[in-house]
Amino acid sequence: MMPKARILRTFLAVLLAPLAAYALAAASPKPMFDYRYENYRIWSDRPIPGEITAVLDDVTRRLRTSTLNQRETPVEIFFCNEPWRLWLYGRAFSTRLGGAADVWLTRQVFIRASDIPANRIHTPNGGPLADAAQRPLSYFIAHEITHNDVSRHFGRTVMLRYPE
């Protein structure tokens, strides 16, 4: 018969192992994404169409209006074409969001599956986005980068002090 202390240690190891594996995977998503575009340091789990340059030009245009954005600061953007990737790396444990910014650790941006040539994100239910003309893919990318800009300018804990 095993002593109680050993049973407790085994139980804790079994409980903590999945949490440690998740923390490791969430802290280092780059191995899960194969493609990269050098301007904005973009990775995707599918090939990135050439139209990404037009999308990124629009992101840059949108960010130029912000005094918080520093163009020389590199931004890492990950396109999560598979819902499980957005669930895992978006850190909200949801696939219903358009994108997510990790303001705490890496300041990486995660964007849901998108139609890059059309400058649109795919909605969670597969239907059209009601306000797609006002909120194209470039809007979502700029929006998430802005979360990181706010975090960089006011500190990582600013998100605790202000509502979403």
Side-chain angles (χ1 to χ4, degrees), residues 4-64:
K4 289 182 182 180
R6 187 171 176 172
I7 292 172
L8 181 60
R9 279 195 309 269
T10 303
F11 175 75
L12 286 175
V14 169
L15 183 67
L16 294 177
L19 291 174
Y22 168 75
L24 181 63
S28 183
K30 291 176 188 175
M32 301 297 288
F33 298 82
D34 296 326
Y35 301 94
R36 184 168 112 156
Y37 179 79
E38 49 196 318
N39 265 2
Y40 274 83
R41 298 183 182 177
I42 293 186
W43 286 265
S44 177
D45 50 357
R46 294 191 185 149
I48 299 172
E51 292 87 352
I52 190 68
T53 57
V55 172
L56 294 176
D57 287 344
D58 193 37
V59 169
T60 301
R61 179 189 65 77
R62 291 168 184 273
L63 291 173
R64 252 189 235 128

Side-chain angles (χ1 to χ4, degrees), residues 9-140:
R9 279 195 309 269
T10 303
F11 175 75
L12 286 175
V14 169
L15 183 67
L16 294 177
L19 291 174
Y22 168 75
L24 181 63
S28 183
K30 291 176 188 175
M32 301 297 288
F33 298 82
D34 296 326
Y35 301 94
R36 184 168 112 156
Y37 179 79
E38 49 196 318
N39 265 2
Y40 274 83
R41 298 183 182 177
I42 293 186
W43 286 265
S44 177
D45 50 357
R46 294 191 185 149
I48 299 172
E51 292 87 352
I52 190 68
T53 57
V55 172
L56 294 176
D57 287 344
D58 193 37
V59 169
T60 301
R61 179 189 65 77
R62 291 168 184 273
L63 291 173
R64 252 189 235 128
T65 63
S66 170
T67 58
L68 299 180
N69 184 257
Q70 299 171 344
R71 183 67 179 115
E72 66 278 0
T73 303
V75 178
E76 294 183 334
I77 303 168
F78 295 83
F79 282 93
C80 303
N81 292 292
E82 297 297 327
W84 70 266
R85 292 179 196 267
L86 185 63
W87 185 91
L88 176 68
Y89 295 115
R91 302 193 181 54
F93 306 112
S94 172
T95 60
R96 303 207 46 85
L97 35 119
D102 177 12
V103 299
W104 295 101
L105 299 173
T106 64
R107 292 203 170 103
Q108 294 167 332
V109 170
F110 299 89
I111 301 294
R112 72 173 305 102
S114 303
D115 180 353
I116 292 172
N119 195 13
R120 298 202 172 171
I121 64 163
H122 296 297
T123 60
N125 63 5
L129 186 64
D131 57 350
Q134 291 79 30
R135 295 191 319 150
L137 169 60
S138 55
Y139 161 87
F140 284 92

